Amino acid sequence: MSRLNDANVALAKEIIARYPRPKSALIPLLHLSQEQNGYITNDAMAHLAELVGVTSAEVYGTASFYEMFKFEPVGKYVINICGTLSCALMGSEELLHRAEHKLGVKAGGTTPDGLITLEHAECQAACTEAPCLQVNYRYRFRVTPADVDSLIHDLRAGKLSDEIPAHGTLAKVRQHIPADRGVGAVAPEAATTAPAWFDGKAAL
Amino acid sequence: MTGTYAHAAGFYSGDRPRIVTSRFEHADSYSLERYLATGGYQGLRKALARPATDVHDEVKKATVLGRGGAGFPAGTKWGLTPEGVFPRYLVVNGDESEPGTYKDRLLMERDPHQLIEGCVIACYAAGLSQCFLYIRGEMAHAQERVAAALNEAYAAGYVGKNILGSKFSVDVVLHWGAGAYVVGEETALIESLEGNRGMPRLKPPFFPAAIGLYGKPTIVNNVETLSNLPWILTNGAEAYTAIGTATSPGTRMVAVSGHVKRPGVYEIINGTTTFRDLIYGDDFCQGIRNGNELKAFVPGGGSAPWFTPDQLDIPFEGPQAGAAGSMLGSGAIMVMDHTTDIPAAALTLTRFYAHESCGKCTPCREGGTWLERILRRVVDGKGTDADLQQLIEVGTSICPGDFPHASSTRLGLAAVPFPYKMTTICFVGPSAYTPVHSALTLFPEEFEARVTKRTHIPVTAVGVGE
Ligand SMILES: Cc1cc2nc3c(=O)[nH]c(=O)nc-3n(C[C@H](O)[C@H](O)[C@H](O)COP(=O)(O)O)c2cc1C
Ligand code: SF4
């Protein structure tokens, strides 16, 4: 049972309608599914396949390419510790060891209580703030080993649940295009002439 | 305000002209209210009062070099769409993930309206019917800021139907990725946006401007590139080219990370600021941490061949960096001091590219993994001299012929200019070799000291051909 619920189906349809081809909505819909269930299940992929009009194998083909999609349950919090050059130069390996030690799991593992998954990550685009890590894709900058301890402590104590939504929820704000303001998807086969406004004259 | 650190993690303003970061010191720089109070959407208003071709010409005159890595002028790229073929699309590249690069995320988080205005101007100028703003999946906060800004912009009539009450209409759709570096390559970005695995398409012959999204002409532009447009349309191309140099006008965002006193993101004057200014200048990074010695630096993102102190006086300017054996890429400098273990540093980058290979080309898929494993063995002290030779052989199968590298007075090496030849579709394969080659060429003794079996090691011969 992990098809999208009714509210998410409505949202999925709104998202699909923004694209000239339904399949383009696949990655956003996979995120929606992961937000609902915490990870991507086979049932979920079958449902998304129906929604965008492809086979579930195609959905899996796309989904399995991308690191953020998980096909098995992960912790409520996924901690990603960056190990690429800028962070490595500033001591990120020590952070990873500290987290492994503190959590009692190796990178890639999940704590037995299902609360935290630890991952070794690659460059997170915060290189000047090295070493850095993300918890459910929310940043912590210039992290010290002591910060790792207190982060884990706070996650266990439930202190960060407002700031960091459970795994799967990416952005807390969504785009919404009001019906009376949107132009709608421009299909490649429909709009084969220049847009009316592209007529060599000023628009205003 | 000089040297502000407030609000935008890692950003320092300094006393320099600013184009894209001008609002960063305001705590609410991302809001529509602040944007409008600081000249926001004026460029768009001016643009719509002119014919589209005029606007396109203005951008051409400004010579806005693409900030995504390749440095191709935006106005020229827009002109490459085949005449009479519609619809045309705009895909905004907000996938920032090149090691060392940190600027697009700041622009999206701190000034999303500036980016949105840039997108709308580009669509108007080049006759693009729909815009997809692709943000890297892992950037939750940037997605929130851009989503909120788009919602505000739609409600206020800056995006969507009849923009500013004119006859011009265009949608900007927020799209987000799911974690894959190679998707930043423009054709992979398009594949991903079509709902597929993000594998690059073979080019040439067809570039996205001719055959892109759904097979239609598609302009792919970087976030920083587009963020320049509102200022250019407000102040004119002449004001823009008055800053910087003839070949590299305007400003540019650069992230300097690693072993410097004040790592940060800086908007610099294009073309004239040198690496020495950036690493040692009071206004910039203020020197190496703890008064240490500079050993090497990566001048343009993880894909760029390395520089050493010999190259400090080269300005941050494309052709000059190219002649010196490297490139500026995405504006990311990573600094290593004398305490750095060079083979281990190279390994973190090689591992990155090996890990990010999409698997389409054999030299990249296999070669990257080989490079990583062999280098790991060497770093772990279990390598042999044959391993060093093998690194070069694997690298040569990805990039045949001379590989670019910097000159070194210490080693008596002359520079081999950028670029290289390659046997792969995109630059991920060569990029796995770049750090290995730079490290081996510029610091052979660190590898020699590391390997266990010591026959004669011709590692100084890796600079073959200079
Ligand atoms: C492997 C690879 C990764 C890339 N990643 C990015 C990226 O994250 N962001 C970006 O803007 N350009 C990236 N590029 C460059 C794009 O292919 C493209 O040149 C650029 O987005 C065009 O925009 P511009 O002309 O405005 O620079 C990458 C290129 C390659 C080969
Ligand atoms: S070079 Fe590597 S990442 Fe690029 S297309 Fe080939 S296999 Fe994929």
Side-chain angles (χ1 to χ4, degrees), chain B residues 45-395:
Chain B
R45 196 173 290 280
K46 284 193 175 173
L48 298 190
R50 303 163 66 176
T53 43
D54 253 38
V55 178
H56 188 166
D57 285 343
E58 192 77 37
V59 175
K60 260 194 219 159
K61 250 194 285 171
T63 331
V64 195
L65 303 183
R67 307 295 205 262
F72 195 78
T76 312
K77 187 189 280 188
W78 301 354
L80 297 179
T81 54
E83 207 168 323
V85 183
F86 293 95
R88 301 168 179 167
Y89 299 105
L90 175 64
V91 178
V92 184
N93 196 340
D95 194 55
E96 183 168 68
S97 26
E98 172 77 0
T101 313
Y102 173 30
K103 62 188 183 69
D104 297 339
R105 182 167 67 78
L106 265 182
L107 288 169
M108 293 187 281
E109 289 178 0
R110 297 303 314 173
D111 206 342
H113 281 287
Q114 177 174 256
L115 171 61
I116 294 166
E117 185 179 356
C119 295
V120 176
I121 292 171
C123 288
Y124 179 67
L128 316 177
S129 296
Q130 197 174 358
C131 169
F132 300 93
L133 208 167
Y134 191 123
I135 301 184
R136 178 171 172 186
E138 290 95 331
M139 297 177 176
H141 191 48
Q143 290 169 36
E144 286 168 351
R145 284 278 168 84
V146 174
L150 277 169
N151 291 346
E152 285 178 314
Y154 266 99
Y158 298 111
V159 185
K161 249 185 228 167
N162 303 111
I163 293 172
L164 295 175
S166 75
K167 62 180 179 183
F168 171 54
S169 301
V170 74
D171 269 348
V172 177
V173 173
L174 174 59
H175 185 90
W176 56 102
Y181 161 72
V182 65
V183 161
E185 195 281 333
E186 57 187 2
T187 59
L189 193 72
I190 289 169
E191 281 291 326
S192 182
L193 187 52
E194 291 184 359
N196 302 327
R197 295 170 76 81
M199 295 167 125
R201 296 174 179 171
L202 196 58
K203 64 171 186 182
F206 300 115
F207 288 86
I211 299 185
L213 187 64
Y214 316 120
K216 292 294 179 177
T218 302
I219 299 300
V220 180
N221 269 141
N222 169 264
V223 164
E224 187 189 343
T225 312
L226 292 165
S227 295
N228 276 285
L229 302 180
W231 194 96
I232 293 170
L233 268 294
T234 304
N235 299 288
E238 250 171 65
Y240 187 81
T241 51
I243 304 170
T245 63
T247 48
S248 301
T251 63
R252 178 159 190 180
M253 283 177 84
V254 176
V256 193
S257 60
H259 295 154
V260 285
K261 282 202 185 115
R262 198 174 70 155
V265 182
Y266 302 91
E267 180 168 0
I268 66 169
I269 295 177
N270 220 349
T272 55
T273 315
T274 65
F275 289 104
R276 187 182 300 282
D277 296 336
L278 282 163
I279 294 173
Y280 290 97
D282 281 345
D283 232 14
F284 299 101
C285 293
Q286 303 172 349
I288 308 297
R289 63 168 185 185
N290 309 328
N292 287 357
E293 293 293 312
L294 172 65
K295 192 167 187 178
F297 58 101
V298 188
S303 304
W306 299 4
F307 280 165
T308 61
D310 282 8
Q311 284 78 38
L312 275 173
D313 292 312
I314 295 172
F316 203 83
E317 201 261 349
Q320 294 189 60
S326 191
M327 59 152 187
L328 301 183
S330 47
I333 301 173
M334 292 179 277
V335 179
M336 297 174 253
D337 72 11
H338 75 265
T339 66
T340 309
D341 175 342
I342 291 288
L347 176 60
T348 71
L349 289 174
T350 293
R351 184 192 57 210
F352 174 89
Y353 294 103
H355 178 83
E356 299 297 336
S357 170
C358 81
K360 198 166 178 170
C361 326
T362 313
C364 169
R365 184 185 61 238
E366 302 296 323
T369 313
W370 275 62
L371 289 172
E372 183 196 340
R373 286 197 192 151
I374 299 168
L375 190 54
R376 155 112 29 222
R377 197 154 63 220
V378 173
V379 168
D380 288 346
K382 295 178 190 138
T384 65
D385 54 347
D387 281 330
L388 300 186
Q389 205 52 51
Q390 182 107 53
L391 284 172
I392 298 163
E393 274 164 31
V394 174

Side-chain angles (χ1 to χ4, degrees), chain A residues 11 14-15 17-32 34-35 52 54 57-70 80-93 96 120-130 132 134-139 141-142 163 165 168-204, chain B residues 5 9-10 12 45 48-53 84-89 96-102 105 109 123-130 132 134 136-141 143-144 147-148 150-151 154-155 157-180 182-183 191-199 213-214 216 255-259 263-265 289 298 306 334-336 340 345 348-349 351-352 355-356 358:
Chain A
L11 195 52
E14 186 186 325
I15 293 171
R18 290 178 199 155
Y19 295 93
R21 297 232 210 277
K23 196 182 178 192
S24 283
L26 203 46
I27 291 175
L29 298 198
L30 282 159
H31 278 299
L32 199 58
Q34 184 152 285
E35 177 171 337
V52 304
V54 298
E58 282 175 275
V59 176
Y60 182 64
T62 295
S64 58
F65 187 81
Y66 300 92
E67 215 134 302
M68 290 173 77
F69 296 129
K70 311 294 180 194
N80 279 289
I81 298 182
C82 177
T84 315
L85 185 57
S86 302
C87 281
L89 289 172
M90 301 306 282
S92 63
E93 209 171 296
L96 190 67
H120 165 112
E122 299 291 2
C123 190
Q124 299 175 334
C127 311
T128 67
E129 305 314 292
C132 64
Q134 289 189 319
V135 188
N136 291 352
Y137 310 107
R138 303 202 173 246
Y139 288 94
F141 298 135
R142 305 199 183 194
E163 185 194 338
T169 299
L170 214 45
K172 291 180 278 189
V173 184
R174 292 183 199 282
Q175 179 179 21
H176 176 67
I177 303 180
D180 59 329
R181 290 286 318 136
V183 180
V186 179
E189 48 284 320
T192 53
T193 53
W197 49 262
F198 196 59
D199 58 1
K201 298 191 205 95
L204 262 180
Chain B
Y5 186 80
Y12 299 92
R45 196 173 290 280
L48 298 190
R50 303 163 66 176
T53 43
V85 183
F86 293 95
R88 301 168 179 167
Y89 299 105
E96 183 168 68
S97 26
E98 172 77 0
T101 313
Y102 173 30
R105 182 167 67 78
E109 289 178 0
C123 288
Y124 179 67
L128 316 177
S129 296
Q130 197 174 358
F132 300 93
Y134 191 123
R136 178 171 172 186
E138 290 95 331
M139 297 177 176
H141 191 48
Q143 290 169 36
E144 286 168 351
L150 277 169
N151 291 346
Y154 266 99
Y158 298 111
V159 185
K161 249 185 228 167
N162 303 111
I163 293 172
L164 295 175
S166 75
K167 62 180 179 183
F168 171 54
S169 301
V170 74
D171 269 348
V172 177
V173 173
L174 174 59
H175 185 90
W176 56 102
V182 65
V183 161
E191 281 291 326
S192 182
L193 187 52
E194 291 184 359
N196 302 327
R197 295 170 76 81
M199 295 167 125
L213 187 64
Y214 316 120
K216 292 294 179 177
V256 193
S257 60
H259 295 154
V265 182
R289 63 168 185 185
V298 188
W306 299 4
M334 292 179 277
V335 179
M336 297 174 253
T340 309
T348 71
L349 289 174
R351 184 192 57 210
F352 174 89
H355 178 83
E356 299 297 336
C358 81

